[in-house]
Amino acid sequence: MVCKPFYFKTVYTKRNAVIMICSCVSVSIVLSLPPLVGWAEYSYIPAQHFCFCNWAKAPSYAFFMIGCCFGIPFTVMSICNILIFRTVRASKIRVAAAKSRSVSNSQHRGSLKSTIGTQASTILPEPSTVSSSHTDKPLLYIANRNHNKRTAVTLVNLSTIDDVKVHVSTVNSNTNRLSVVQSKQQQKIIRHATDKARSDEIRLALALAIVVIMFVVCWLPFCISMLIGIFSPNGASDKFHMWSLLIGYSNSCMNPVIYGALNKKFGEGFRDIFCRFCKR
């Protein structure tokens, strides 16, 4: 959905979602079958107080399970989260740049219009200010056009051309000062947008990192427990073996809590689901 949004609807259909869920269950069943056909065996484990695989009887199966159930998921989660983070970061940068350009352009157009209107009213005298005593001097026709149609004509005495030149130079200096101010405003907007994007990136990176870290924290002790059971059966207490397994199982309920607490959209989705369930 994040990295390839255009393919999301074609890939995650109801049919494909059912196939993915069935595939996950099938893989779990297949990985659990080897002890039933001679590769290791299931038996009562005193250290864990219930029936489980006896890793000491088939160390190769233990390493196989560590690779399939810990190494591969950890690698896939890390790669996917890195790609998601990079995609979101690039998208945030593009959006921030586009917003800053849009704001600066709109401010530039608005300021330019107001400046031109103010200077034009200062440069050009009103028609009523042209006295009859100056009618013998040449007159300059300044026409305002709108869609190639003459809408108004103002008579300006050519004797005021020098004044016009002075005002034009004033307009140029004001325009230069305006461009400097707008440049500073644009830099401020860009810095603000960059800081906001950076904070969002940090929040996203934190959520993704917590998911991977909690997976490692929950299942690494159990992997260590497996290795201790193989190479040093009396190297750890029964409590360590028991709690390492329970901590590993607890990872199954952590991801919804992590995403729900650190992501507003996930939290809203969970609340919507629970509210519908409660109403029913």
Side-chain angles (χ1 to χ4, degrees):
M1 184 63 179
V2 176
C3 297
K4 299 182 182 295
F6 298 105
Y7 297 98
F8 178 77
K9 292 184 179 180
T10 58
V11 173
Y12 288 93
T13 61
K14 290 184 178 180
R15 174 179 174 274
N16 290 344
V18 172
I19 293 175
M20 292 177 186
I21 295 173
C22 294
S23 299
C24 291
V25 177
S26 300
V27 169
S28 301
I29 294 173
V30 170
L31 292 177
S32 302
L33 290 178
L36 299 178
V37 296
W39 193 12
E41 67 176 21
Y42 291 115
S43 60
Y44 179 76
I45 310 298
Q48 297 173 340
H49 304 287
F50 77 121
C51 292
F52 205 64
C53 182
N54 191 345
W55 308 112
K57 295 211 174 164
S60 58
Y61 179 67
F63 290 118
F64 171 77
M65 290 297 289
I66 291 175
C68 290
C69 298
F70 182 79
I72 293 177
F74 173 72
T75 303
V76 171
M77 290 171 62
S78 300
I79 293 175
C80 290
N81 288 334
I82 290 172
L83 294 177
I84 291 172
F85 174 71
R86 290 176 58 185
T87 302
V88 172
R89 183 180 181 183
S91 177
K92 294 281 187 183
I93 293 174
R94 289 196 299 268
V95 171
K99 286 184 178 180
S100 64
R101 287 196 300 268
S102 177
V103 171
S104 62
N105 290 337
S106 62
Q107 289 180 347
H108 177 72
R109 287 194 296 267
S111 301
L112 192 59
K113 286 181 180 179
S114 61
T115 304
I116 291 175
T118 303
Q119 297 297 337
S121 62
T122 304
I123 294 172
L124 300 178
E126 295 295 332
S128 59
T129 61
V130 181
S131 61
S132 58
S133 61
H134 296 89
T135 54
D136 56 336
K137 296 181 180 180
L139 297 177
L140 174 65
Y141 288 87
I142 300 178
N144 295 324
R145 295 180 178 274
N146 185 17
H147 300 293
N148 297 326
K149 293 182 180 180
R150 181 170 296 180
T151 58
V153 176
T154 304
L155 297 179
V156 181
N157 197 312
L158 286 180
S159 62
T160 63
I161 290 300
D162 293 335
D163 295 335
V164 171
K165 291 180 180 179
V166 172
H167 286 292
V168 168
S169 63
T170 304
V171 171
N172 291 333
S173 61
N174 291 338
T175 304
N176 292 333
R177 286 196 297 268
L178 180 63
S179 63
V180 173
V181 173
Q182 288 178 346
S183 178
K184 292 182 179 179
Q185 291 177 348
Q186 184 176 3
Q187 292 176 359
K188 184 178 179 180
I189 293 171
I190 292 174
R191 283 197 301 268
H192 177 72
T194 303
D195 293 340
K196 185 178 183 303
R198 190 172 300 163
S199 64
D200 293 339
E201 292 171 10
I202 294 173
R203 191 179 296 108
L204 174 66
L206 179 64
L208 299 179
I210 289 176
V211 170
V212 179
I213 291 172
M214 292 308 298
F215 176 79
V216 175
V217 168
C218 290
W219 282 112
L220 184 60
F222 181 69
C223 295
I224 295 174
S225 173
M226 292 171 60
L227 298 177
I228 292 175
I230 294 172
F231 298 105
S232 180
N234 299 322
S237 64
D238 294 353
K239 290 183 179 180
F240 172 77
H241 291 291
M242 186 66 182
W243 282 104
S244 65
L245 182 63
L246 295 178
I247 292 173
Y249 285 158
S250 69
N251 182 248
S252 300
C253 66
M254 288 186 178
N255 287 355
V257 176
I258 295 172
Y259 283 117
L262 299 179
N263 190 299
K264 293 182 180 179
K265 291 186 178 180
F266 271 98
E268 293 173 358
F270 287 134
R271 282 194 296 270
D272 184 58
I273 291 174
F274 288 133
C275 290
R276 291 182 183 179
F277 179 78
C278 294
K279 288 180 180 178
R280 291 179 181 177

